[in-house]
């Protein structure tokens, strides 16, 4: 996978994360602050991905009009499940960035992977064995 491809893949996932966090925020009551934090975090990452892609001389992939969440959001429990799934899916993309040959991309990937693991733990109270890698 090229560095540009890894950034595009991550950007696609960030678009989906922003959409997903938008869905869950209204279902969480007191945890809505955590959802807002996640939303802002992923918006920032989305923008950083787009900037990295432009810097590489490519055109950033556009967001889809809507995304199909992995779980329907019908209340607080399903909202928390979706948030954890978003972080898990993003972690897989961050692991791809962390595997790239250039140091700045690897650093973004590693830092984002760490934060995503922390976010996921906040949603599930479980620490992933190896964030970004499915067993």
């Amino acid at each position: 996978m090229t560095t540009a491809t890894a950034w595009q893949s991550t950007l696609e996932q960030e678009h989906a994360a922003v959409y997903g966090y938008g869905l869950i925020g209204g279902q969480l009551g007191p945890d809505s602050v955590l959802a807002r934090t996640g939303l802002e975090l992923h918006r920032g990452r989305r923008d950083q991905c787009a900037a990295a892609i432009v810097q590489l001389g490519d055109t950033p992939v556009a967001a889809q009009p809507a995304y199909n969440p992995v779980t329907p959001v019908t209340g607080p429990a399903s909202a928390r499940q979706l948030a954890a799934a978003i972080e898990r899916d993003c972690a897989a993309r961050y692991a791809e960035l962390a595997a790239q040959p250039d140091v700045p991309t690897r650093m973004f990937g590693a830092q984002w992977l760490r934060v995503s693991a922390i976010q996921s733990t906040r949603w599930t109270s479980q620490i992933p064995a190896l964030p970004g890698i499915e067993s």
Side-chain angles (χ1 to χ4, degrees), residues 37-89:
T37 300
L39 176 62
E40 293 305 317
L41 182 73
H42 287 286
R43 279 183 179 158
R45 288 180 182 167
R46 175 200 61 197
D47 296 346
Q48 288 177 292
C49 288
I53 292 163
V54 168
Q55 188 174 12
L56 290 169
D58 206 352
T59 302
V61 64
Q64 297 177 19
Y67 293 85
N68 189 18
V70 295
T71 183
V73 180
T74 58
S78 60
R80 293 179 74 79
Q81 287 176 335
L82 179 56
I86 288 168
E87 294 302 332
R88 181 191 64 240
D89 293 345

Side-chain angles (χ1 to χ4, degrees), residues 114-131:
R114 179 185 153 278
V115 172
S116 186
I118 292 167
Q119 288 291 100
S120 180
T121 301
R122 287 180 177 147
W123 290 116
T124 64
S125 299
Q126 297 176 356
I127 299 171
L130 186 55

